Amino acid sequence: MKKTIAILSFVLTLVGASAQNVYWVFLADKAGTTFDPYTYFDQKALERYAQCGADLYDRSNYPLAEAYVAGVGALATEEVGQSRWLNAIGVVATPEQAAAIERLPYVSRVQMIKGDMQLAGYAKAAPAAPADPVDTTLTDQLVRMQGHLFRQAGIDGTGIRIAVFDGGFPKVNTHEAFRHLREGKRILQTWNFPNKKEDVYGWNSHGTMTLSCIAGRMNGKDLGLATGAEFLLARTEVEPEPFKEEIWWQQAVEWADKGGANIISSSLGYGKDRYYTKDMDGQSYVARAANMAARKGILVVCSAGNEADDDRWQYLVTPSDADSALCIGGITHSLTDYEHISFASFGPSADGRQKPNLCAFAHTWAASPKNNGAYEMVYGTSFSCPLVAGFAACAWQASKGMTNMQLFDALQRSADLYPYCDYAFGYGVPQAGYFLNEKAVKPAPTFRFEPQGPTRVSVIPLRADTNVHVFYKDIDDATGRILMYGKRTVALFDTAMSLDIDGGHHLVVMMDGYMADYRFERPSNVRDKHEWAYIRSNDPKKEFRVTDALSRAPAQDVARESRSEWDGYFQLGLPVAMGDELDSRFWSPAKRIGVRWQYHISKAYGWGLALEYGHTAFCFGDEANRLDSMALMDDDVRWLDKKVTLHRLDFGEVGIELFQRVRFTPGGLFHKGFHWDLGIYGNWGYSDYNLKGSTSGDIASSRLEKVYNLSMLDGHRWNYGLTTRLANDWYGLYVRYRLNGLGQEVPAGRIVLPRLEVGLQLLF
């Protein structure tokens, strides 16, 4: 028994003892280091620091102490990278190594990285020719931002340097869409952080597509507005590496800072695969890196994410939740409609800040690396982000005196919904006219309010109009948070529209550029729950014809992601005989059904408990076996003349399992992802042996049957052992191995059942 317990303890600690985790090792100081910014920074970076007033000699720019790096490296399995800004080293190490590193006198703390960088996502769409834009040299995705006005003014991002972070840039060095960048020698630097080399022209096609939405060209039309900008291309993402990307993203930000980037475009983000919604509060390490880059004069543009189709997670991904990151949401591909695209993540941040900041087309044309002339229609906020990054480069060229944060504010003010904002559209789509000194015309009123009661108000149009976009929201005056918001496109708006609000505070409505608000008196009997009840016409004979609709509560009013979950499972396997165990050469199915409860300590690791019932039938056909021989030694069963029907041992188990789960990849159909379970089980078992035969050749008239309870076949009614599973979402493989009695001598006359069982698993 002591030997068996020792084996169990060893196996259950195997995962934790030998796991190679990724850690940030934070150093206590930068003792003895020196720094010359004029040899370290690109001239463009020096100019940017001067423009925003940042300190070139800030301690964050100093290198790490070499002796400290060497000491940490001697104890770690692998060094992933270094961060000057964090004064930290990214390492791969076991928990034991991490503990030893943390004991070093110059290490302040060691923290495991829980992030899994993911592409913001995209999907291919069926090719469709865009409508003819105002400027035939631009695609609709640029016309929607009044990009033709930048072109008419000769603005194309010249003089602005953009760093693009992605998973690879295949064919950018040969594709026709980027010929102008190559001929102008405007791809200045490249770096592949996972492979530690300059070559980035391979791997994931996502980067080729996002770059084309900043500066690409397609058959004489521009895909992005910043065709005259300079570029730094960084590969920071690798599909099979679930933890290192946070380090590479941090390094890429510092590399972009050193290389003189004015803008960072990042269509990458951390979300549901490693974090919980409550963590989207701007405090992740990549969000902090984005904020630090902003303090050093860089405009950081990030995708909001594509999580709205996932009921568990509809909200932002980090670093778009950073306070100083420009978070970009998504709308559909139309020059007339104004519709939130279904998959684009909603705001706000977990701590209630306004996100997204802006939106743009998330259904775009992009260059494809399939061959040198391929283009595709694609979906994703991966593409609304670079569209705005290219727009920002042009806006900055047109407003040379602005700092990055002044530009941040101006981009919001330029948007077509400003000053209205909500958690689907932000302030809307940025407009070029704002930066070209077009005279702003104050919109004329398009509606008026008429109170209908303590929680109802009518919105009365001042003129009949068609295809009217009506935006509205309910704001808590005490906190400034949006409690509920919505948008309707009304085919014909010619009569009063009633908005019913349960417990509203401050109603804001915007229509055709005109925005007005209405403050409700809060009656004492109104509940604290806020719901948009309905929108209806005041004319009982008329119903509004609504062409699209969006009405929702923000993130803080929706239940946060749970750390626990239930699932059911079914297993079908076969016992495998080894050594002196009972031979199961014939079909001997093992069936098991149960339920599991899991608790996630993190998105990558958790533990759980299972309750199950199992059944195994050892079948031997008509061939005699040792089990028959043992049964026939009993005098009262010597009536057996010959075997005429099935002989079987029905072995039942009712049990419990305690397991731990390590998840390697994000979830898919059922959100469980590719994972490995390792656990221990304990079962109470019973068995019956059914022996059938005949005393004569006339089987039909003299069939006999007898049932024996042989639950002590190998001396054990209670069983325990190890179980492990390797599964992907709803299907997988499992292995069970019984440990009780292992190594013990089997008494004479006993038959040992197979200890090993392997099979298939289905989750539901």
Side-chain angles (χ1 to χ4, degrees):
M1 178 61 73
K2 290 182 178 179
K3 181 178 179 181
T4 300
I5 293 174
I7 293 173
L8 274 174
S9 300
F10 171 75
V11 174
L12 286 179
T13 57
L14 188 61
V15 174
S18 62
Q20 296 288 311
N21 299 316
V22 184
Y23 299 88
W24 275 122
V25 178
F26 295 91
L27 304 177
D29 53 54
K30 293 186 175 182
T33 61
T34 59
F35 177 64
D36 180 6
Y38 296 97
T39 58
Y40 174 76
F41 284 116
D42 183 275
Q43 179 60 36
K44 191 85 169 178
L46 297 174
E47 294 171 2
R48 191 191 69 240
Y49 268 71
Q51 182 181 21
C52 72
D55 182 7
L56 285 170
Y57 290 94
D58 187 271
R59 198 66 179 170
S60 65
N61 291 333
Y62 279 63
L64 277 61
E66 293 183 3
Y68 296 174
V69 174
V72 171
L75 296 177
T77 300
E78 174 193 349
E79 179 185 315
V80 180
Q82 302 176 16
S83 168
R84 293 187 176 206
W85 292 3
L86 297 178
N87 192 24
I89 310 167
V91 301
V92 176
T94 65
E96 292 78 10
Q97 290 172 326
I101 291 171
E102 194 162 24
R103 289 193 291 270
L104 294 173
Y106 45 79
V107 171
S108 62
R109 73 183 189 281
V110 175
Q111 184 165 334
M112 187 167 68
I113 295 172
K114 64 176 181 177
D116 179 15
M117 180 64 75
Q118 301 291 326
L119 301 171
Y122 73 94
K124 297 177 184 177
D132 289 336
V134 176
D135 187 330
T136 57
T137 65
L138 299 181
T139 48
D140 284 7
Q141 58 213 47
L142 306 183
V143 173
R144 183 64 181 80
M145 300 184 289
Q146 296 182 332
H148 56 285
L149 298 180
F150 280 144
R151 286 293 181 267
Q152 292 168 10
I155 293 173
D156 60 1
T158 297
I160 305 300
R161 191 169 295 178
I162 305 173
V164 185
F165 300 169
D166 220 294
F169 302 87
K171 298 292 182 67
V172 167
N173 55 338
T174 60
H175 200 295
E176 185 64 24
F178 308 103
R179 177 191 291 272
H180 57 293
L181 298 184
R182 297 191 300 271
E183 291 179 347
K185 301 186 185 304
R186 284 185 279 113
I187 299 179
L188 304 182
Q189 297 180 45
T190 61
W191 192 251
N192 185 328
F193 285 91
N195 292 19
K196 297 180 173 60
K197 60 181 182 180
E198 290 185 349
D199 180 21
V200 298
Y201 300 119
W203 299 277
N204 198 303
S205 62
H206 191 264
T208 303
M209 295 177 175
T210 58
L211 179 62
S212 72
C213 289
I214 301 176
R217 286 180 173 157
M218 176 184 71
N219 304 327
K221 290 186 177 183
D222 289 344
L223 296 170
L225 287 170
T227 54
E230 300 173 332
F231 289 91
L232 311 175
L233 306 182
R235 180 179 179 237
T236 63
E237 201 273 342
V238 178
E239 290 291 346
E241 295 284 356
F243 296 106
K244 297 179 182 178
E245 289 91 342
E246 182 170 347
I247 296 172
W248 295 329
W249 202 91
Q250 175 76 41
Q251 287 186 294
V253 173
E254 297 180 31
W255 173 79
D257 174 47
K258 177 183 178 182
N262 302 105
I263 296 172
I264 289 173
S265 177
S266 175
S267 292
L268 307 170
Y270 298 82
K272 62 186 177 185
D273 301 318
R274 298 289 171 183
Y275 282 96
Y276 294 91
T277 50
K278 66 179 179 59
D279 298 320
M280 301 297 98
D281 59 355
Q283 297 302 309
S284 71
Y285 283 110
V286 289
R288 295 178 190 182
N291 284 337
M292 187 172 288
R295 290 197 294 273
K296 296 174 185 289
I298 301 175
L299 179 71
V300 182
V301 186
C302 297
S303 294
N306 299 329
E307 322 308 317
D309 286 339
D310 190 333
D311 292 337
R312 301 174 309 146
W313 184 302
Q314 299 186 340
Y315 313 120
L316 304 172
V317 294
T318 191
S320 70
D321 62 333
D323 181 66
S324 298
L326 196 67
C327 173
I328 312 302
I331 60 173
T332 58
H333 183 277
S334 173
L335 293 177
T336 56
D337 296 335
Y338 211 127
E339 298 180 36
H340 173 267
I341 203 162
S342 62
F343 52 77
S345 293
F346 293 98
S349 64
D351 55 341
R353 286 174 291 109
Q354 171 61 46
K355 296 287 179 175
N357 303 94
L358 299 169
C359 62
F361 280 4
H363 179 195
T364 69
W365 282 100
S368 169
K370 288 181 179 179
N371 57 61
N372 288 346
Y375 299 87
E376 296 178 5
M377 283 291 283
V378 291
Y379 290 94
T381 58
S382 287
F383 310 111
S384 58
C385 166
L387 286 176
V388 173
F391 179 96
C394 294
W396 216 339
Q397 180 188 358
S399 310
K400 295 184 184 299
M402 285 188 180
T403 66
N404 62 317
M405 296 314 293
Q406 288 172 339
L407 179 64
F408 186 109
D409 182 63
L411 288 167
Q412 292 186 144
R413 290 176 177 274
S414 78
D416 54 6
L417 297 183
Y418 187 87
Y420 177 88
C421 65
D422 62 31
Y423 299 142
F425 302 104
Y427 287 99
V429 180
Q431 301 294 292
Y434 180 90
F435 296 94
L436 297 175
N437 298 318
E438 283 197 346
K439 186 176 181 180
V441 178
K442 186 176 181 180
T446 58
F447 63 89
R448 64 181 177 84
F449 291 116
E450 185 173 296
Q452 299 293 321
T455 61
R456 178 183 297 178
V457 64
S458 286
V459 178
I460 302 175
L462 299 182
R463 65 176 186 274
D465 207 346
T466 58
N467 295 321
V468 176
H469 304 308
V470 182
F471 300 84
Y472 47 89
K473 60 183 177 179
D474 180 20
I475 300 176
D476 185 340
D477 288 331
T479 65
R481 292 192 179 190
I482 302 173
L483 301 174
M484 194 67 64
Y485 60 99
K487 177 257 175 183
R488 297 289 187 274
T489 298
V490 182
L492 177 61
F493 192 20
D494 62 353
T495 188
M497 169 188 290
S498 289
L499 296 179
D500 281 23
I501 306 170
D502 184 7
H505 298 101
H506 177 187
L507 175 66
V508 176
V509 177
M510 182 175 188
M511 185 172 71
D512 285 348
Y514 174 72
M515 189 176 81
D517 57 6
Y518 183 87
R519 296 182 184 275
F520 287 90
E521 292 294 332
R522 189 185 216 2
S524 58
N525 61 343
V526 172
R527 298 169 297 168
D528 287 334
K529 182 179 180 182
H530 307 280
E531 295 180 353
W532 291 98
Y534 51 86
I535 300 177
R536 65 181 184 83
S537 170
N538 274 13
D539 182 351
K541 299 179 181 180
K542 174 183 173 57
E543 291 294 334
F544 286 118
R545 290 184 290 119
V546 178
T547 58
D548 66 84
L550 168 71
S551 187
R552 61 179 280 113
Q556 65 263 23
D557 288 340
V558 179
R560 296 294 185 180
E561 220 180 348
S562 172
R563 286 181 176 263
S564 64
E565 63 178 327
W566 289 87
D567 63 45
Y569 62 93
F570 173 74
Q571 295 174 337
L572 179 65
L574 293 173
V576 179
M578 300 181 295
D580 294 331
E581 296 173 355
L582 177 64
D583 185 8
S584 57
R585 290 170 292 168
F586 298 89
W587 174 246
S588 304
K591 305 172 186 177
R592 189 168 290 101
I593 189 167
V595 293
R596 295 192 187 106
W597 174 81
Q598 302 159 57
Y599 180 79
H600 303 286
I601 296 173
S602 71
K603 287 298 184 73
Y605 178 78
W607 62 272
L609 189 67
L611 299 174
E612 62 186 19
Y613 171 75
H615 178 270
T616 305
F618 293 91
C619 308
F620 301 92
D622 290 336
E623 184 177 344
N625 56 74
R626 290 189 295 128
L627 191 58
D628 294 336
S629 300
M630 186 192 76
L632 290 174
M633 287 189 296
D634 192 338
D635 289 339
D636 65 359
V637 294
R638 291 190 180 278
W639 44 264
L640 181 66
D641 177 54
K642 65 178 181 178
K643 302 173 74 169
V644 295
T645 57
L646 180 68
H647 296 257
R648 64 190 294 130
L649 170 68
D650 291 330
F651 187 80
E653 299 174 328
V654 177
I656 189 170
E657 177 193 355
L658 181 65
F659 65 93
Q660 55 185 346
R661 172 168 295 181
V662 178
R663 191 160 69 115
F664 300 107
T665 65
L669 181 62
F670 290 100
H671 312 301
K672 296 172 178 61
F674 181 61
H675 59 273
W676 174 38
D677 293 349
L678 179 64
I680 56 174
Y681 71 86
N683 288 338
W684 179 85
Y686 65 91
S687 61
D688 290 320
Y689 180 61
N690 300 276
L691 191 60
K692 300 180 181 180
S694 174
T695 58
S696 70
D698 185 1
I699 298 174
S701 62
S702 57
R703 177 179 296 180
L704 300 174
E705 179 176 342
K706 205 153 189 178
V707 179
Y708 300 87
N709 189 310
L710 299 176
S711 59
M712 298 293 287
L713 278 174
D714 55 0
H716 299 283
R717 182 180 294 271
W718 288 96
N719 298 300
Y720 58 89
L722 300 174
T723 180
T724 186
R725 294 174 291 275
L726 198 61
N728 186 29
D729 289 329
W730 59 273
Y731 62 94
L733 300 174
Y734 78 92
V735 177
R736 293 166 66 92
Y737 189 78
R738 185 162 50 89
L739 289 174
N740 54 298
L742 189 64
Q744 295 181 2
E745 184 176 350
V746 180
R750 299 292 188 193
I751 294 178
V752 179
L753 298 177
R755 296 182 178 278
L756 181 65
E757 178 187 317
V758 297
L760 300 175
Q761 170 185 264
L762 299 178
L763 289 173
F764 49 88

